[in-house]
Amino acid sequence: MFSAEDHNFMQRALDLAERGLYTTTPNPRVGCVLVRENRILGEGYTQPAGQNHAEIEALHDARSAGEDVRGSTAYVSLEPCSHFGRTPPCVNALIDAGVARVVAAMEDPNPLVSGKGLEILRAADIEVRCGLLEREARELNIGFVSRMTRHRPWVRSKLAASLDGQSAMPDGQSQWITGEVARHDGHAWRARACAILTGIGTVRSDDPILNVRYVETPRQPARIVLDSRLEISVDSRIVKSAGLGAPLLVVHALRNEDREEELRARGCELLYLPDASGKVDLPALMSELGRRSLNELHVEAGGKLNGALLGAGCVDEFLVYMAPSLLGQALPMIEMAAPASLNERWELIFRDVEMVGEDLRILARLAGGLSEGIE
């Protein structure tokens, strides 16, 4: 169905899309390559929200080089948009430019597009093919796909543990179980997320800032702290850094007007979201984050919150850094009740396993759900 050249140029489009890994949110990461007679005329990738999409960037690139794109093929890692948002529809630009063929990796899961862009191109007598390297394209934008189809972000929980699955000493000491290379790698995963979530227990024990420091990034993800009783200290580093770049959202389940006013005065945003038991309503929080256009949520929390998120069905995959050490009876990376039988255990899929410095990095995905379509 697709030629070797088609595969090569679509792979190039995906490589371009990955350049927007840290910048395109809430939009998807998209790359576009314009080709005629196996020669690239122009290429581009989606810019930050409100700026050019990949197709427009590729057209501008071709024109700046004096190239005429009439009769060319556009390889796009996501179906060209067909609606007016912050920018005009890309399908119109491709039609006006005289492109003869469009190859898309996948349909846009956005209901405002969802095949409409491809239909408009076909109606303009442009040859359209879709589905080339679709799995790779979906994986690159799994957070966007999650938000468009489930109305909630893709949730990735980052864990660091010894070989026997312990994340901290009995007194809570956890810095550092893994090595420096693994810690730097973890910051790259932070950088691609829209927000980083932790719990009040981690704030108390580690006093983190939860920003990206070890990789270059043009933006800092938002920070979210789950603090049912509003116990967070105004002297904590994360509160002191509120309003200085990366937003800080404190989610609570107990009303305390004085504490709320005190935290707001220091630049925090407060969200009251209780469940029936007086704790933070985790599924409702995920829906709220989807409403706020968050695609990927990166969790760095203790075993208790990790267990609660898992039990509430709010985790999609685990990013585990496993150190070559043993801690014995310490604190587990996930606190959860044992299943009644092996048949009731949580099933995972090892998506990726590799060495990162002296530590082992495992990307393990919950079986079923959204991930089934791209495995």
Side-chain angles (χ1 to χ4, degrees), residues 2 10 32-34 55 72-76 78-80 90-91 94-95 99-105 117-118 121-122 126-130:
F2 295 106
M10 184 59 78
C32 177
V33 182
L34 297 168
E55 298 91 331
S72 65
T73 295
Y75 294 91
V76 192
L78 183 70
E79 173 187 2
C90 290
V91 290
L94 293 174
I95 292 169
V99 168
R101 180 174 178 247
V102 172
V103 180
L118 302 181
L121 293 170
R122 291 190 179 102
I126 293 175
E127 180 187 348
V128 175
R129 307 286 286 278
C130 188

Side-chain angles (χ1 to χ4, degrees), residues 79-150:
E79 173 187 2
C81 65
S82 57
H83 67 292
F84 280 90
R86 296 184 184 181
T87 58
C90 290
V91 290
N92 294 354
L94 293 174
I95 292 169
D96 293 344
V99 168
R101 180 174 178 247
V102 172
V103 180
M106 61 176 286
E107 286 191 9
D108 191 332
N110 186 343
L112 295 175
V113 184
S114 192
K116 298 181 183 69
L118 302 181
E119 291 175 5
I120 291 172
L121 293 170
R122 291 190 179 102
D125 293 326
I126 293 175
E127 180 187 348
V128 175
R129 307 286 286 278
C130 188
L132 176 59
L133 300 183
E134 179 175 3
R135 187 181 74 165
E136 291 82 351
R138 284 175 59 86
E139 189 67 39
L140 184 61
N141 282 306
I142 196 162
F144 181 75
V145 173
S146 174
R147 182 165 66 85
M148 289 295 115
T149 59
R150 304 187 300 175

